Amino acid sequence: MAWEVCWQLGGIYTVLKTKAQAMQSRWGERYFLVGPYNRATAEVEFEPCPAPEPIATALDRLARAGQPAHFGRWLVPGRPHVILLDFRARGWKLAEDKYLLFNDHGIATPNDGEINDVISLGFAAADFFRELAAVTSSVAAAQGEQPMMVHCHEWMGGVVIPRIAHLKLPIKTVFTTHATLLGRYLAGDNPHFYDHLPFMDADAEAKKYGIYPKYQIEKAAAHASTVFTTVSEVTAVESQKLLHRTPDVLLPNGLGVQKFAAQHEFQNLHLQYKQRIHEFVRGHFFPNYTFDLDNTLYLVTSGRYEYRNKGMDLYIESLYRLNQRLKGMAQRPTVVAFIITRAPVRNINIDVLKNQAMFEDLRAVCRDITSKVGDRLFDRAAVGKLPDFSQLLGDDDLVRLKRAMHATHTGRQPTIVTHDMVDDSTDAVLRHLRHRGLLNGPDDPVKVIFHPDFMTATSPLMNLDYEQFVRGCHMGVFPSYYEPWGYTPMECVVLGVPTVTTDLSGFGAYVIRNIELAAMQGIYVMTRRGRSFEQSADELTDHLFTFCQTSRRQRIEQRNRVESLSDMFDWKALARYYAEAHELAMQRGAGISASGGPGRRAHSVPGAHNQVGRVEVRML
């Protein structure tokens, strides 16, 4: 169960969407996802269909009690079954639900819209599971089968877990925190978060940041769950201190990896999408000055707009230092560094759009002239004569071409941001870029483009979705200070793009533990733990400077090595950790001594999953 089933809000959506097929291969038609019903997203992601028994009976009972729900399939690979609970229709019971949350669990909540929605969904889910348990109890008892199991993600999906425990339902629960709520606040506000973590008073800090009720919900879910999990060693340490429970199992995130029949195919995609980026760069920079696109490298950082947590501050500082170093090189490349995130914007900058439109006009003129030149060439060749230049390109064609070329030259210095920001003067990224003079001057070998919106194929700027854009880049740079897992560097690896991550990210810690000589394979894990900002900036600058000196052949070889690692991050390989957590939950539920108790890592027990009954409900 999670808030992002059929509703994309953040990284959990990617986890659920890409993991569905791997879960179905283990659980088959007994695998269901539960989430909130949101009409706008359900219209494009959800397909209604009849519910099987005993789900249908439970949903019918729920509807008669005044809680509507929708059953169908999620329109993602695998088309898994989903149950979407209409939490907004539960408003009439909100006061009662909040009273029970306080009376039964000691969690007092304010009149906050987000918290109200989370409570409504949690109590709606608890009512559903209570009805389902009642329907299935007699069947399970007759067949000697194990109770149901529910797996919930993040605090927004966590209310149902303490409710299941309080109601003593025959359901085993697994709770996964992908990033503790309090940890995200603390890391973004405290430059010495990891040094101070052992001495922090979690309750006091949660109250300080005004998130105490949310923190209590997350903590209650962690303690009431049969098995508590998180995604990385980094977050495990954080959970132990802030939630006061050590995770039983670590569940590293994966992706659905697409493998190509021929290895060179992904290299061809890189060339194809790099050409599309070239087209944007021409339109953005060439109206003022030009540079050699064949000697240009594209870097990218992306993710949630957390300026410090995501390492955007370190990225910009390192670009400034790289810019200074490259100025001293005779044969230097041009580096175009992208920052892709979502920030408050009004619209796309009109001058940026105008420049792209003018270059499209120039392209159209060139194509039209090319067509005419081809016809004229054929006419002369057909009569056995070689044409001269004046016979191929007429005066009218030259005038049109000169006018189109002149229109593209505006003389305005290229902007560093593609959109009009809501608050341009206080934006953290723009302030840092201006402070360091990274303003896309003609003599700057490092250019920066801040794209404060998600990359989509429908955008008039590049017409690329995020995956295509990343494939066209040469390197992904993600020097995060706080990163519970780190999907963005892992996506680069799966797409065959060299990447930079850090030992403070869950992904980086996983790479250190599981891949020898990772830097040689194209995954560079920076050391940020115990290092100052200055030391980290120097390390990243050194790595980027070294990369700028690599040849085209070396970059091709590095992409091949990176892509060869992609199988390690496929859900087909990583789903075994989920199986381990689920087996542990069933063992604890069956009264069997688990191989890993609280505070220890559990180990899988061969064949344990065969004990799960046919009417068992697996929900994520």
Side-chain angles (χ1 to χ4, degrees):
M1 175 175 168
W3 197 265
E4 295 191 48
V5 174
C6 295
W7 192 351
Q8 183 171 9
L9 296 170
I12 311 282
Y13 177 90
T14 303
V15 175
L16 301 172
K17 175 182 174 181
T18 59
K19 181 166 59 67
Q21 282 185 300
M23 293 294 99
Q24 286 174 300
S25 66
R26 174 179 172 84
W27 299 98
E29 291 299 297
R30 296 172 295 157
Y31 174 72
F32 303 85
L33 295 105
V34 177
Y37 176 71
N38 179 53
R39 181 186 296 273
T41 55
E43 288 179 351
V44 295
E45 298 208 27
F46 173 75
E47 181 181 66
C49 69
E53 291 295 346
I55 302 292
T57 300
L59 291 178
D60 184 60
R61 290 186 179 185
L62 198 65
R64 289 201 301 268
Q67 176 59 65
H70 305 264
F71 185 91
R73 290 189 180 273
W74 192 0
L75 300 179
V76 298
R79 293 169 59 86
H81 288 301
V82 292
I83 301 164
L84 301 181
L85 300 167
D86 192 346
F87 66 96
R88 293 188 178 97
R90 195 182 176 84
W92 60 282
K93 291 196 72 174
L94 179 61
E96 178 184 341
D97 293 342
K98 297 183 77 165
Y99 168 76
L100 292 175
L101 188 64
F102 173 73
N103 187 68
D104 299 341
H105 309 285
I107 301 176
T109 55
N111 187 26
D112 175 273
E114 182 181 46
I115 294 177
N116 292 346
D117 288 347
V118 167
I119 294 171
S120 293
L121 178 65
F123 275 79
D127 286 351
F128 166 68
F129 291 128
R130 179 166 52 191
E131 297 295 348
L132 185 60
V135 173
T136 59
S137 59
S138 59
V139 179
Q143 298 182 3
E145 295 169 342
Q146 293 292 321
M148 296 177 287
M149 182 165 57
V150 177
H151 189 150
C152 299
H153 293 259
E154 291 288 77
W155 78 272
M156 295 183 73
V159 169
V160 69
I161 291 182
R163 291 307 297 165
I164 288 174
H166 178 78
L167 296 172
K168 295 182 172 57
L169 299 180
I171 298 174
K172 306 310 159 191
T173 56
V174 180
F175 178 62
T176 298
T177 179
H178 294 254
T180 67
L181 185 68
L182 180 56
R184 192 178 293 281
Y185 277 83
L186 289 168
D189 197 40
N190 187 338
H192 307 290
F193 169 65
Y194 292 100
D195 294 332
H196 295 173
L197 180 61
F199 314 106
M200 288 180 175
D201 181 335
D203 284 8
E205 295 292 343
K207 291 174 182 176
K208 170 186 170 183
Y209 289 102
I211 58 169
Y212 191 61
K214 300 177 183 179
Y215 162 75
Q216 284 186 299
I217 291 172
E218 183 179 38
K219 187 175 178 181
H223 283 269
S225 58
T226 311
V227 169
F228 174 50
T229 69
T230 190
V231 297
S232 67
E233 297 175 15
V234 173
T235 318
V237 174
E238 185 182 319
S239 299
Q240 184 178 14
K241 176 58 184 175
L242 300 181
L243 299 180
H244 306 135
R245 181 174 176 183
T246 302
D248 302 298
V249 184
L250 301 183
L251 305 180
N253 287 329
L255 284 168
V257 176
Q258 175 190 0
K259 298 298 289 184
F260 296 98
Q263 190 179 48
H264 67 271
E265 289 185 44
F266 85 93
Q267 296 282 6
N268 291 338
L269 287 176
H270 167 72
L271 293 174
Q272 175 185 337
Y273 297 132
K274 182 177 71 172
Q275 185 59 39
R276 300 271 287 277
I277 300 175
H278 280 343
E279 293 173 7
F280 167 79
V281 167
R282 283 193 189 98
H284 193 80
F285 291 98
F286 285 18
N288 184 266
Y289 55 82
T290 65
F291 46 86
D292 182 9
L293 291 179
D294 286 335
N295 192 30
T296 297
L297 300 176
Y298 296 128
L299 310 181
V300 59
T301 193
S302 62
R304 188 197 301 258
Y305 195 3
E306 295 178 357
Y307 168 71
R308 188 169 176 278
N309 283 355
K310 296 296 183 183
M312 293 177 187
D313 56 345
L314 186 59
Y315 180 63
I316 294 171
E317 184 64 25
S318 299
L319 291 177
Y320 161 72
R321 299 182 186 194
L322 178 65
N323 192 46
Q324 301 306 308
R325 287 199 199 180
L326 290 178
K327 284 182 177 179
M329 288 180 61
Q331 300 296 322
R332 67 194 186 201
T334 299
V335 175
V336 179
F338 291 89
I339 302 172
I340 311 295
T341 187
R342 171 166 281 183
V345 300
R346 292 190 176 90
N347 45 51
I348 298 176
N349 182 274
I350 188 65
D351 289 330
V352 173
L353 276 177
K354 188 182 295 184
N355 288 347
Q356 297 298 324
M358 288 188 300
F359 266 80
E360 280 303 308
D361 290 343
L362 176 60
R363 183 186 301 278
V365 169
C366 290
R367 284 173 176 167
D368 184 50
I369 293 174
T370 299
S371 176
K372 292 179 180 179
V373 167
D375 291 340
R376 292 165 187 163
L377 177 62
F378 174 75
D379 290 341
R380 299 298 295 173
V383 297
K385 297 181 180 180
L386 290 174
D388 57 33
F389 182 78
S390 62
Q391 292 173 320
L392 293 179
L393 199 63
D395 290 341
D396 289 344
D397 296 326
L398 286 174
V399 170
R400 285 183 65 200
L401 186 59
K402 288 178 180 178
R403 284 179 176 174
M405 292 171 60
H406 179 72
T408 62
H409 295 288
T410 64
R412 292 189 296 267
Q413 183 153 312
T415 65
I416 56 176
V417 59
T418 58
H419 292 61
D420 293 330
M421 307 290 291
V422 169
D423 195 350
D424 181 280
S425 62
T426 62
D427 181 81
V429 166
L430 292 179
R431 289 181 66 183
H432 197 161
L433 291 172
R434 290 163 181 156
H435 168 65
R436 282 310 192 183
L438 289 173
L439 302 175
N440 293 338
D443 59 337
D444 287 324
V446 175
K447 323 290 184 186
V448 180
I449 296 175
F450 179 29
H451 188 284
D453 198 5
F454 290 150
M455 194 73 65
T456 67
T458 57
S459 168
L461 294 182
M462 266 182 270
N463 303 120
L464 292 172
D465 63 28
Y466 178 75
E467 178 181 310
Q468 294 169 333
F469 174 78
V470 170
R471 278 195 188 276
C473 291
H474 296 91
M475 177 184 283
V477 185
F478 309 97
S480 302
Y481 178 74
Y482 178 80
E483 190 70 78
W485 177 249
Y487 253 119
T488 44
M490 185 169 67
E491 286 171 328
C492 284
V493 172
V494 170
L495 297 173
V497 177
T499 190
V500 175
T501 184
T502 77
D503 61 346
L504 292 181
S505 77
F507 175 73
Y510 185 85
V511 169
I512 291 172
R513 181 176 291 275
N514 293 279
I515 301 178
E516 294 184 5
L517 302 175
M520 300 287 291
Q521 309 300 317
I523 307 177
Y524 185 77
V525 184
M526 289 180 54
T527 303
R528 291 207 66 179
R529 187 180 298 277
R531 295 276 187 94
S532 68
F533 182 86
E534 287 294 314
Q535 291 171 317
S536 296
D538 285 340
E539 181 183 351
L540 181 54
T541 305
D542 289 342
H543 181 68
L544 297 180
F545 185 70
T546 300
F547 185 76
C548 287
Q549 299 175 76
T550 58
S551 66
R552 185 186 299 260
R553 176 175 293 277
Q554 287 173 321
R555 293 195 296 272
I556 291 173
E557 292 173 350
Q558 192 172 64
R559 285 197 295 272
N560 284 331
R561 290 194 295 270
V562 170
E563 199 272 342
S564 68
L565 298 174
S566 61
D567 282 341
M568 289 186 62
F569 305 104
D570 194 339
W571 277 119
K572 294 175 183 176
L574 297 178
R576 63 187 176 90
Y577 294 103
Y578 276 78
E580 184 176 329
H582 300 156
E583 289 165 1
L584 176 59
M586 297 310 296
Q587 290 168 3
R588 288 179 177 175
I592 301 173
S593 176
S595 27
R600 295 177 53 197
R601 172 150 183 180
H603 302 279
S604 58
V605 180
H609 62 278
N610 294 327
Q611 300 171 20
V612 180
R614 293 190 183 89
V615 297
E616 183 267 344
V617 179
R618 273 283 301 111
M619 299 189 179
L620 289 147

